[in-house]
Amino acid sequence: QVQLVESGGGLVQAGGSLRLSCAASGRTFSSYIMGWFRQAPGKEREFVARINGDGSTTYYANSVKGRFTISRDNAKNTADLQMNSLKPEDTAVYYCAAARYKFGLGYRTADEYAYRGQGTQVTVSS
């Protein structure tokens, strides 16, 4: 069982930056793929980024590529999302998620992750 708690959300002006953090419980954090998703009002949940267990491989949605950076610190059991050049369309509740690796999965949909946090609100004003 993994428990995830997000922090770092808030209100920021367009062009600004925020850093989200996801704190995970458990002693096997490095064995999990970590992902970030977001959901805006009236829209479906959207993949944002993911990172593999040792942090060597990352993958981003096209909408955030070049602006967001996912990272992890396995010694601290945290996975962060640095968000730069924020746009109003980035406004959403952001969730982190954790999944054990299984061959053949892309880890770009929420149902591929067994664990999810409660989310943190990010609001970008124009």
Side-chain angles (χ1 to χ4, degrees):
Q1 188 79 5
V2 176
Q3 292 186 323
L4 305 173
V5 179
E6 302 94 338
S7 62
L11 173 64
V12 64
Q13 288 189 331
S17 298
L18 279 176
R19 187 176 184 90
L20 306 182
S21 187
C22 175
S25 65
R27 295 177 292 178
T28 58
F29 179 70
S30 62
S31 67
Y32 287 89
I33 292 169
M34 297 301 295
W36 282 94
F37 292 81
R38 66 187 182 186
Q39 189 165 18
K43 295 188 177 181
E44 293 188 354
R45 190 168 303 154
E46 175 188 21
F47 167 79
V48 175
R50 63 160 167 81
I51 188 167
N52 69 339
D54 64 6
S56 61
T57 304
T58 58
Y59 187 87
Y60 298 91
N62 287 335
S63 58
V64 307
K65 198 175 295 183
R67 300 188 298 122
F68 291 11
T69 303
I70 189 171
S71 62
R72 67 189 298 157
D73 185 335
N74 288 340
K76 296 180 179 179
N77 280 18
T78 58
D80 291 355
L81 185 69
Q82 177 66 43
M83 306 186 296
N84 298 329
S85 302
L86 283 161
K87 304 175 182 180
E89 52 264 43
D90 294 318
T91 295
V93 177
Y94 283 71
Y95 302 89
C96 67
R100 293 276 197 183
Y101 175 76
K102 289 183 182 178
F103 179 78
L105 297 184
Y107 297 99
R108 294 195 291 275
T109 60
D111 59 6
E112 293 176 310
Y113 291 78
Y115 306 101
R116 194 190 82 185
Q118 293 297 308
T120 185
Q121 177 70 47
V122 171
T123 303
V124 185
S125 63
S126 58

